[in-house]
Amino acid sequence: MLPFLPLLPVAQVAPAPAPAPAPAPQVISRQAPQEIWQPQEVRPLPGQLDAIPFFNSNSPELVRTEGILLSTFAPEGKQVPRAHLNFPFEGRFNLFAHHTARAETANDSRSLFFGVIVYNPGTQPITVDVLQAASYLSNPDAPFIELPSHLENPIGRVYAGPGSRAMNDILRGRRQSSWPAQIIIAPGQSQMLVNLPIPGSNSRSTMMRLWSSGPVYVASLAMFARAEPGGRERPPTLAEWETLLNTRSLAGPRDRAPTPLETATESLLYGRVAGVAQGSEWRARLTDSARARDLSIPRRGQAFSYGLSTLDFGTFGTGQIQSAPMLVRYPDTAYRAHGNYGIEYNLTLPLRNASDQPQSVALTIQTPIKEDQPIKGGLRFFLPPEPQVFFRGTVRLRYNDDLGLSQTRYIHLVQRRGQQGDPLVTFSLRPGERRLVQVDFLYPPDSTPPQVLTVQTLDAQTATTVPAAPPR
């Protein structure tokens, strides 16, 4: 996946809170960067993915030849039957796509068009509602730019990369004005849902939440712009897209095939996704146990974490693989939707201070070093973090602050491999006090899982250095 956006005014952003040091880190290596071990419990995330199907078009990421990116059409009547996975959608479903075009030569200035076609195989008209939708190019819409690790993002103008920007829009329930609220497809007919260029050397990320009144087939396709007299480019027509769908094979070049999971080791190649995954949202209430109503905060100076987007060979000892299973896929693409791009995490934390002392509590998203079975338990980090960006996207927080005022905050995070992260929010809880917090985000493309959500009770020294978020 990739990154790119118009440079944003820095004046809109509040300063990031000071980082909260992890409790009693132990330096286990004196190399640069230092590796530190944080002894704490890592818990599996309660809940599970829902069953909503997710059209996920991300292979090949780099597209140089025209063809089919992902087709769920029936194979009958197609010249290349193996390119069609025969999966109709009905009711709620999601669509995510990310693809890159790169000119072969300096003289090749053709735009590659990205199309999504929807077909009604039935005998009655079908309505497709476009609930939310966003699509951005890396350049000029959303260039990958350097951003601080923690920025307030109240109106959605903080982003880096088209995936970061698209997920930010969907999190806020937006539909770009270029999309109608619905389309009506006549029996036996098709319509283009997307017909957008990827000009020059560029990337496009697209995210949509959809609802169909009846069964429809969907395909994502790649075709170079058609030339008009005088050399001007034009988008492909519906008839041209239909011809490509019916006669062509898969677009290329193909990405490297993934390692079969039954023979995989920690060095496995996960592969890129091209198929229909099962799951659009992970909704969970985090409590002490399945029967408990509260989440007791840890003892002073201690912390515990919940895995986010855990995957094969990256479960932090929980054994929990959150990667969405694939309902249909091409044989040379990922066996699971590793990374869960575009899946919303909707987490509720009913925090409670069960002690007889006032406590200060911080919530943090972190990017530890990926492990499956930590030898000593806990989490490992780098100090300073390594340069590779592993998470880039916006998180929404909803809670009542220490003054009892209702707050909704959007925070854009950039985290690198091994980064402990800055607190999203801190609270002061009286003895016996409860505080409900909701944490929501769509797992952003151009990120590398897994991450964790950490609840930390600060010791007296740390609590004085981490201010609570100001009322808004």
Side-chain angles (χ1 to χ4, degrees), residues 184-200:
I184 299 175
I185 309 173
Q189 300 297 308
S190 298
Q191 284 200 38
M192 297 306 298
L193 185 63
V194 182
N195 194 0
L196 294 171
I198 309 177

Side-chain angles (χ1 to χ4, degrees), residues 9-22:
V10 199
Q12 70 188 6
V13 187

Side-chain angles (χ1 to χ4, degrees), residues 448-459:
T448 302
Q451 279 73 35
V452 296
L453 174 64
T454 297
V455 181
Q456 178 185 359
T457 300
L458 309 177
D459 58 31

Side-chain angles (χ1 to χ4, degrees), residues 207-223:
M207 176 72 191
M208 308 182 81
R209 287 175 170 167
L210 304 160
W211 180 87
S212 174
S213 64
V216 293
Y217 290 106
V218 182
S220 58
L221 311 166
M223 187 189 304

Side-chain angles (χ1 to χ4, degrees), residues 204-283:
R204 179 176 288 280
S205 290
T206 303
M207 176 72 191
M208 308 182 81
R209 287 175 170 167
L210 304 160
W211 180 87
S212 174
S213 64
V216 293
Y217 290 106
V218 182
S220 58
L221 311 166
M223 187 189 304
F224 287 106
R226 280 13 200 176
E228 291 185 323
R232 293 180 58 186
E233 288 188 347
R234 67 164 176 83
T237 64
L238 173 60
E240 289 167 337
W241 284 118
E242 289 176 324
T243 298
L244 183 146
L245 175 72
N246 291 326
T247 62
R248 302 292 289 273
S249 185
L250 298 177
R254 303 305 294 168
D255 290 323
R256 292 175 60 194
T259 307
L261 294 179
E262 61 272 14
T263 63
T265 63
E266 289 197 29
S267 60
L268 85 163
L269 179 67
Y270 291 99
R272 292 195 177 276
V273 180
V276 179
Q278 181 175 284
S280 69
E281 181 182 20
W282 190 299
R283 184 178 292 269

Side-chain angles (χ1 to χ4, degrees), residues 119-122 124-128 183-187 191 212-216:
Y119 172 65
N120 172 8
Q124 299 294 322
I126 285 178
T127 298
V128 176
I183 59 174
I184 299 175
I185 309 173
Q191 284 200 38
S212 174
S213 64
V216 293

